[in-house]
Amino acid sequence: MKALTQILTEKLSAAFEACGYSAELGTVVTSDRPDLCQFQCNGAFAGAKLYKKAPRMIAQEAANKLADDDSFAKIEVVGAGFINMDVSDKLLLSYVKDVLSDENLGIPQAEKPETIVLDYGGPNVAKPLHIGHLRSAVIGESLKRLAAATGRKTIADVHLGDWGLQIGLVIAELKERHPDWECFKEGFDPASFSGMPLTVDELNEVYPFASAKSKENDEFKAKAKAVTAELQKGAPAYIALWKEIIKISVADIKSNYDKLNVSFDYWYGESDAEKFVPELLDILNSKGLMYESQGAMVVDVAEDSDKVTIPPVIIKKSDDSNIYATTDLATIIQRTKEWKPDMIWYVVDSRQSLHFTQVFRCAKKANIVSDECSLEHLGFGTMNGTDGKPYKTREGGVMRLEVLYDMVYDYAKGMVDKSTHSAEEDKADIARRVAVAAIKFGDLINHRAKDYIFDLDKFMAAEGKTGSFLLYSVARVNSILNKTGGSDCFDSAEIYSDSERAMLLGIAMSGEAFGLAFRDRAPNIVCENAYKLAELFAKFYHENHIVDEPDENKKRAWINICAAVKTMLEKHLDILGIETVELF
Ligand code: ARG
């Protein structure tokens, strides 16, 4: 359906045209002075230059044409030539009715729906998920939902780090600890391998241990490198062990993501890109793009307009191992063949921006992806502690995601336990939802590129831009709807107060906020709009005594608004990957 500003733009454009001016002058935007009017049109200023006439005169002529149009409660020229307007209650009510009956709730849909591959999560097998993986998962999941809500086809691929030195380190260490395991014995037959007694806990403990060990023990480091190389060449024992490690690790990673409502369509790993590496090398060679430099094979990606030096991308190192960029390039070949995407979005820490610049340039130069396909690194900033430095455990180490989640969950459970509204058996699930809302809203309210401070007391506060406030708002609406029987059809014919009008306008304009959020790849716009709706609702609720209202028409209109707010807020939260609670 059309956006409200679009409907108004068409009216203004027709008015300018009827006065002999270009229709383009009629663009209507939301007012930057909401205290004065709801919408404005500033086209008369551009008209003044084109037609050598005072802008005020042009604006007045156009406004006069619409003086009798019942879409407007007010249309007036102010200052040097601004057209300020308010829509009529009639238009606002009918527009909100249309939004609520639209299957997309008024969210503008893509004209040519693109296929978007989203690369987020990026966990590494055998390394425990840590808070650095949190932002990618939270932002990526939300961007996926946002893209789908605006009519795009989305493909979420976790791009598991399953092929690097970390696996070699883990296997080398396991070999030292458990030489008796079948897979480490002479004459091992993978066909009859029934696994080994490895727990997630040991796995999570092995990597940091082995990584530290390799830093002070060169012999061990060399062993780990040798294991990695043999694994990558396909040594049967290591492959069998590697598959088991992946199984254990992925189950653990999935359960962590499940708690956060984060999911993927594909669990491809870096190892799945391996089979595309020979094709990549062929292309780079045949196009003459690759050359030797200090023992490595590289491709130049610098451009004349670069303000900083962009070094060549390294495709193969002197020890012949494939590296991060090679894998990402091979993965682009796989994605292009399998999904023919119009866009690939990489939701990865901003500190990897040079890597993506190099990879994207090389991909375009080598034509492994079409010119039209847009490769975008949607970088994000760091999550800091209240001291302003990257978030750490009390001991100064990197905090595991699981530990962070449990900490937030315990806080939420403590709050929910005090509540008298919910049944005992529901409390654990409510606490999980409250925890997820706190973590996600606390993250997503910030523009993704910015660093932010993880402050649990602030994230859990019942007031302000927090997940709790949003869940609380939905629960409050639910309680009114339960007490009054609710409404299943928006049939209001009148608006009784300013707070109601502001609320309805907020609902009418939400679709446009989703459009902007998609355009800027910015879930924080969805958060801001959700907060705005919740605040408008708080005001409306405060000013109108809905449950006890004796006037039946008024009461009905207000209940309609409550039902509409519920639908809209739930849509926002769903796109943020946040589940609501019935009572709070
Ligand atoms: N596994 C990587 C890391 O932990 C992130 C992968 C991001 N995605 C990509 N296509 N490079 O840093």
Side-chain angles (χ1 to χ4, degrees):
M1 67 182 276
K2 275 184 198 163
L4 192 48
T5 50
Q6 179 62 27
I7 294 174
L8 299 176
T9 296
E10 285 171 12
K11 285 188 180 287
L12 268 287
S13 298
F16 276 108
E17 224 171 9
C19 301
Y21 302 118
S22 158
E24 274 164 35
L25 304 186
T27 303
V28 172
V29 294
T30 44
S31 162
D32 49 24
R33 287 288 306 273
D35 52 324
L36 296 182
C37 59
Q38 298 167 340
F39 297 94
Q40 66 190 69
C41 169
N42 309 334
F45 295 99
K49 289 200 190 89
L50 285 173
Y51 303 103
K52 315 259 176 293
K53 225 184 199 180
R56 210 183 148 87
M57 280 172 69
I58 299 177
Q60 195 61 60
E61 284 174 59
N64 287 347
K65 290 269 178 231
L66 296 167
D68 298 325
D69 189 318
D70 70 359
S71 303
F72 298 98
K74 168 176 102 179
I75 176 156
E76 61 187 15
V77 178
V78 299
F82 299 98
I83 303 177
N84 284 0
M85 57 211 117
D86 286 344
V87 294
S88 64
D89 289 353
K90 185 170 160 235
L91 175 62
L92 186 53
L93 288 167
S94 80
Y95 190 79
V96 169
K97 188 180 167 73
D98 290 348
V99 165
L100 294 170
S101 49
D102 177 32
E103 56 173 338
N104 301 306
L105 282 180
I107 301 174
Q109 299 295 295
E111 277 168 32
K112 281 195 228 121
E114 303 95 342
T115 296
I116 307 177
V117 172
L118 292 104
D119 178 319
Y120 61 97
N124 300 309
V125 164
K127 290 195 204 175
L129 281 181
H130 59 76
I131 56 170
H133 295 111
L134 178 66
R135 296 212 70 190
S136 177
V138 168
I139 299 167
E141 178 69 28
S142 162
L143 286 169
K144 174 183 71 180
R145 292 171 185 231
L146 181 61
T150 58
R152 275 85 187 181
K153 180 175 177 214
T154 61
I155 297 168
D157 182 5
V158 75
H159 200 69
L160 203 58
D162 63 352
W163 205 226
L165 181 63
Q166 89 263 25
I167 307 276
L169 284 165
V170 167
I171 295 182
E173 174 61 20
L174 288 173
K175 198 170 177 176
E176 294 198 350
R177 289 189 192 185
H178 308 286
D180 52 318
W181 281 358
E182 229 188 301
C183 53
F184 293 130
K185 290 200 179 132
E186 238 8 87
F188 162 71
D189 173 17
S192 60
F193 185 45
S194 56
M196 65 287 180
L198 179 64
T199 62
V200 189
D201 288 339
E202 180 170 10
L203 187 55
N204 281 339
E205 174 265 317
V206 169
Y207 171 73
F209 181 87
S211 162
K213 183 162 156 184
S214 75
K215 288 191 184 106
E216 52 206 38
N217 181 337
D218 288 342
E219 197 191 326
F220 179 71
K221 190 174 181 175
K223 262 191 207 166
K225 279 198 171 164
V227 171
T228 313
E230 279 184 60
L231 172 75
Q232 296 189 342
K233 277 190 209 115
Y238 293 152
I239 293 281
L241 188 56
W242 170 71
K243 282 190 179 152
E244 279 301 308
I245 293 174
I246 291 189
K247 226 198 274 167
I248 298 169
S249 191
V250 165
D252 184 45
I253 294 170
K254 271 193 185 157
S255 81
N256 275 289
Y257 283 151
D258 276 352
K259 286 188 209 154
L260 293 168
N261 305 326
V262 171
S263 66
F264 299 89
D265 303 306
Y266 290 88
W267 279 78
Y268 285 155
E270 293 180 353
S271 65
D272 291 298
E274 270 299 294
K275 47 181 170 302
F276 299 95
V277 171
E279 183 174 343
L280 171 70
L281 299 180
D282 270 358
I283 296 173
L284 296 176
N285 268 327
S286 67
K287 303 206 162 157
L289 295 171
M290 198 157 63
Y291 65 93
E292 204 193 308
S293 165
Q294 295 166 12
M297 296 306 286
V298 303
V299 172
D300 280 333
V301 289
E303 287 173 5
D304 290 344
S305 56
D306 288 342
K307 296 207 171 59
V308 291
T309 316
I310 305 290
V313 55
I314 304 176
I315 304 292
K316 274 214 174 272
K317 281 207 225 151
S318 43
D319 64 1
D320 217 30
S321 61
N322 294 325
I323 46 172
Y324 196 39
T326 320
T327 306
D328 262 324
L329 286 162
T331 305
I332 292 178
I333 298 184
Q334 171 263 321
R335 289 175 176 164
T336 305
K337 281 192 201 258
E338 194 167 338
W339 302 314
K340 300 188 181 48
D342 300 293
M343 302 184 191
I344 308 180
W345 290 2
Y346 296 80
V347 186
V348 184
D349 196 311
S350 296
R351 285 171 289 193
Q352 295 194 20
S353 92
L354 174 61
H355 164 75
F356 286 108
T357 303
Q358 293 175 310
V359 166
F360 296 169
R361 286 185 182 182
C362 183
K364 294 277 174 182
K365 224 173 153 178
N367 255 318
I368 59 173
V369 67
S370 73
D371 284 343
E372 293 74 43
C373 179
S374 132
L375 301 171
E376 301 179 27
H377 173 209
L378 308 180
F380 53 80
T382 311
M383 177 172 130
N384 290 326
T386 38
D387 59 358
K389 302 205 182 97
Y391 197 81
K392 290 262 157 50
T393 59
R394 232 176 259 167
E395 295 73 38
V398 177
M399 187 178 272
R400 284 177 39 193
L401 188 52
E402 214 173 350
V403 175
L404 178 98
Y405 174 83
D406 288 346
M407 181 176 82
V408 183
Y409 174 82
D410 289 345
Y411 194 125
K413 185 75 174 26
M415 268 166 56
V416 176
D417 278 342
K418 287 193 208 110
S419 142
T420 49
H421 297 295
S422 34
E424 232 20 71
E425 66 268 26
D426 295 336
K427 286 187 172 170
D429 183 53
I430 295 177
R432 185 187 66 80
R433 292 171 188 234
V434 172
V436 171
I439 294 174
K440 290 195 169 181
F441 204 88
D443 183 312
L444 294 171
I445 185 73
N446 309 287
H447 185 275
R448 60 178 162 72
K450 285 204 186 129
D451 296 346
Y452 75 96
I453 290 177
F454 183 87
D455 181 345
L456 195 47
D457 290 327
K458 192 172 132 202
F459 287 7
M460 285 288 183
E463 293 291 328
K465 295 180 181 178
T466 68
S468 297
F469 176 56
L470 270 299
L471 293 196
Y472 182 64
S473 303
V474 174
R476 189 148 67 175
V477 182
N478 286 337
S479 127
I480 301 167
L481 292 171
N482 289 340
K483 280 188 201 143
T484 56
S487 135
D488 48 19
C489 159
F490 187 89
D491 54 5
S492 309
E494 210 174 317
I495 297 176
Y496 299 90
S497 63
D498 283 344
S499 61
E500 236 178 297
R501 191 171 290 111
M503 182 79 257
L504 287 165
L505 188 65
I507 292 169
M509 295 302 291
S510 288
E512 298 190 36
F514 288 109
L516 287 180
F518 177 82
R519 186 197 69 188
D520 295 350
R521 327 289 193 233
N524 62 305
I525 297 178
V526 177
C527 289
E528 290 289 353
N529 203 63
Y531 174 72
K532 182 172 148 192
L533 292 182
E535 280 246 292
L536 288 169
F537 180 75
K539 188 159 193 292
F540 159 72
Y541 171 82
H542 183 73
E543 287 180 7
N544 304 299
H545 297 280
I546 306 166
V547 179
D548 318 316
E549 174 57 45
D551 180 329
E552 276 306 316
N553 287 334
K554 255 190 199 175
K555 186 169 179 176
R556 171 101 202 141
W558 291 346
I559 296 170
N560 282 340
I561 291 183
C562 291
V565 176
K566 175 181 162 76
T567 307
M568 254 318 165
L569 274 182
E570 282 177 347
K571 184 76 187 172
H572 283 69
L573 293 170
D574 181 49
I575 287 177
L576 300 171
I578 295 173
E579 290 167 278
T580 56
V581 295
E582 182 64 23
L583 294 167
F584 189 10

